[in-house]
Amino acid sequence: MEKYIVTFPGLGLEFNINRVAFSIGELNVYWYGLLIATGLLLAVAWCFHHAVEFGIDSDRLLDVVCIGTIMAIVCARIYYVVMSPYAYDSIWEMFDIRQGGIAIYGAIIGAFVFGGLACVWRKIPVLPTFDLVSIGFLIGQCLGRWGNFVNQEAFGYNTNLPWGMYSEKTRQYLESSVVTLPTGMTVDPTMPVHPTFLYESLWCLAGFVMLALYFKKRKFDGDITLRYAIWYGLGRFWIEGLRTDSLLLVPSLNLRASQLFAAVTVVIALVLEWYFTRKHKGQQHMVQLVIESETLKLLKKTGGSVAVIDTLPPSASRKEFLSATEKYNVKVREMLKESKTKTNE
């Protein structure tokens, strides 16, 4: 089913949805993929714009983003296939994401694990990079969730709230055998359901605004990452409990795989946030300025080392970071050239 009508009866709204954005010959390009790609591009643009304020070289960050993105998609699909209640007819069907079917927690795990390894390889600071991309994640998640709306998936139980959603796609799904419901719970396929995609999109938008306003006040490397884990985990635990397409680990308790993962993540992040906030209490957090790619090449060529490290507080403006970083790298390059000249003498 590529086209259907989506209604919000309580609001008097009706939308004609076509899952296909456009076609190139016989190849259909779906809104689902376009929305995820657009969210990714906006997230990357934000990260590249603010990279210098986290002490990160944007040239080397590009490699990290490419590796992290590819592995995020791979891990998102693996997580979905492993946790999915569906049966796949072939291994090729397992790889086919055109019909949807990627799990955000799988993407997050893949991005952090392989992105972190890429940071070590490209010699950029791991925790500041995690802080930077955590805010970018929320941009991508906010927009990407609208792909679920176009596909009419990731919705919840019946609701009488004004924004309850109904479509032929939701009816067909709720009448199928793959619906996951807690013990004693029933749904009426002909009634509106919770648009949980919208709840998560708005939750991520709110999280992005809060972290974007806070990152200049961060107290230690990893602070933003932990706050992201807490905020997203809290929202995901609540929203996942409304959905009808999750893996139920304990049906009698209505406990789902993503809820368990979210709960564990929130508890660990809260403990770490409390510990490191106390540890750094009264200390001024400083951001080490970027060693740019050109400077790094000279370091390798001369076999020298950075004898001077310059820093700025995170509260400094982007303009101040750009100016200070440029002066710092000029100073380092001059020191390396002088050192090489003295060695040759």
Side-chain angles (χ1 to χ4, degrees):
M1 181 187 294
E2 305 289 9
K3 298 180 181 180
Y4 33 80
I5 296 174
V6 181
T7 63
F8 293 83
L11 300 176
L13 298 176
E14 181 177 296
F15 301 93
N16 290 303
I17 301 295
N18 187 343
R19 294 179 57 242
V20 179
F22 59 88
S23 299
I24 303 175
E26 297 183 357
L27 176 65
N28 291 331
V29 178
Y30 290 89
W31 280 112
Y32 182 83
L34 282 179
L35 287 165
I36 291 178
T38 302
L40 173 63
L41 289 175
L42 290 175
V44 169
W46 193 93
C47 290
F48 273 68
H49 181 74
H50 291 283
V52 69
E53 296 165 80
F54 288 79
I56 298 167
D57 178 46
S58 57
D59 289 341
R60 282 173 279 158
L61 178 62
L62 178 60
D63 294 331
V64 174
V65 168
C66 290
I67 292 171
T69 299
I70 293 171
M71 295 311 299
I73 295 171
V74 171
C75 292
R77 184 59 178 179
I78 291 173
Y79 187 103
Y80 181 85
V81 170
V82 170
M83 295 295 185
S84 176
Y86 303 100
Y88 294 94
D89 295 329
S90 69
I91 191 170
W92 302 114
E93 191 174 299
M94 292 182 181
F95 290 108
D96 185 7
I97 63 173
R98 291 177 299 171
Q99 303 300 317
I102 56 176
I104 189 61
Y105 265 131
I108 293 171
I109 293 169
F112 275 111
V113 171
F114 291 97
L117 292 173
C119 286
V120 174
W121 168 55
R122 294 298 287 133
K123 293 181 173 58
I124 62 175
V126 176
L127 289 180
T129 302
F130 284 178
D131 284 341
L132 175 64
V133 300
S134 291
I135 303 177
F137 279 162
L138 290 169
I139 301 174
Q141 290 170 264
C142 174
L143 188 57
R145 275 300 171 192
W146 285 88
N148 297 135
F149 170 65
V150 175
N151 279 1
Q152 281 294 278
E153 60 191 7
F155 49 81
Y157 307 137
N158 296 135
T159 179
N160 293 320
L161 292 170
W163 50 82
M165 177 183 70
Y166 173 81
S167 72
E168 190 66 15
K169 186 81 178 289
T170 62
R171 182 191 66 78
Q172 289 182 0
Y173 177 82
L174 292 176
E175 289 178 345
S176 70
S177 61
V178 294
V179 177
T180 56
L181 297 174
T183 302
M185 174 66 73
T186 59
V187 292
D188 184 345
T190 65
M191 297 295 292
V193 296
H194 283 285
T196 50
F197 79 90
L198 177 61
Y199 300 166
E200 188 161 334
S201 178
L202 293 176
W203 186 266
C204 289
L205 177 61
F208 165 72
V209 172
M210 287 190 293
L211 291 184
L213 292 174
Y214 175 76
F215 84 85
K216 286 290 187 181
K217 304 173 185 177
R218 62 191 187 277
K219 301 177 180 67
F220 54 88
D221 290 335
D223 189 7
I224 301 295
T225 306
L226 293 173
R227 289 171 184 264
Y228 162 80
I230 294 167
W231 179 258
Y232 182 68
L234 288 172
R236 188 57 188 262
F237 186 89
W238 159 58
I239 295 167
E240 194 72 18
L242 298 174
R243 288 174 56 170
T244 58
D245 60 348
S246 304
L247 174 66
L248 287 170
L249 293 179
V250 186
S252 61
L253 299 177
N254 190 20
L255 181 63
R256 295 136 188 277
S258 288
Q259 282 186 303
L260 179 60
F261 192 94
V264 172
T265 300
V266 168
V267 171
I268 294 174
L270 279 171
V271 171
L272 292 175
E273 179 67 25
W274 172 82
Y275 172 78
F276 285 110
T277 298
R278 282 177 58 90
K279 181 178 180 180
H280 294 276
K281 186 176 181 179
Q283 300 177 20
Q284 171 65 63
H285 179 54
M286 301 297 288
V287 179
Q288 185 173 326
L289 298 183
V290 175
I291 296 292
E292 296 174 341
S293 295
E294 183 182 346
T295 308
L296 192 62
K297 289 178 182 177
L298 187 59
L299 273 168
K300 293 179 179 179
K301 185 178 180 180
T302 59
S305 60
V306 179
V308 178
I309 296 176
D310 283 357
T311 60
L312 278 180
S315 57
S317 68
R318 181 172 181 272
K319 183 177 180 180
E320 290 175 316
F321 267 102
L322 288 170
S323 176
T325 298
E326 181 181 0
K327 293 177 181 177
Y328 171 56
N329 278 268
V330 169
K331 179 171 65 176
V332 171
R333 288 195 292 269
E334 288 177 347
M335 291 175 64
L336 288 171
K337 290 175 182 177
E338 291 176 2
S339 176
K340 184 180 179 180
T341 300
K342 290 180 180 179
T343 301
N344 291 336
E345 290 177 352

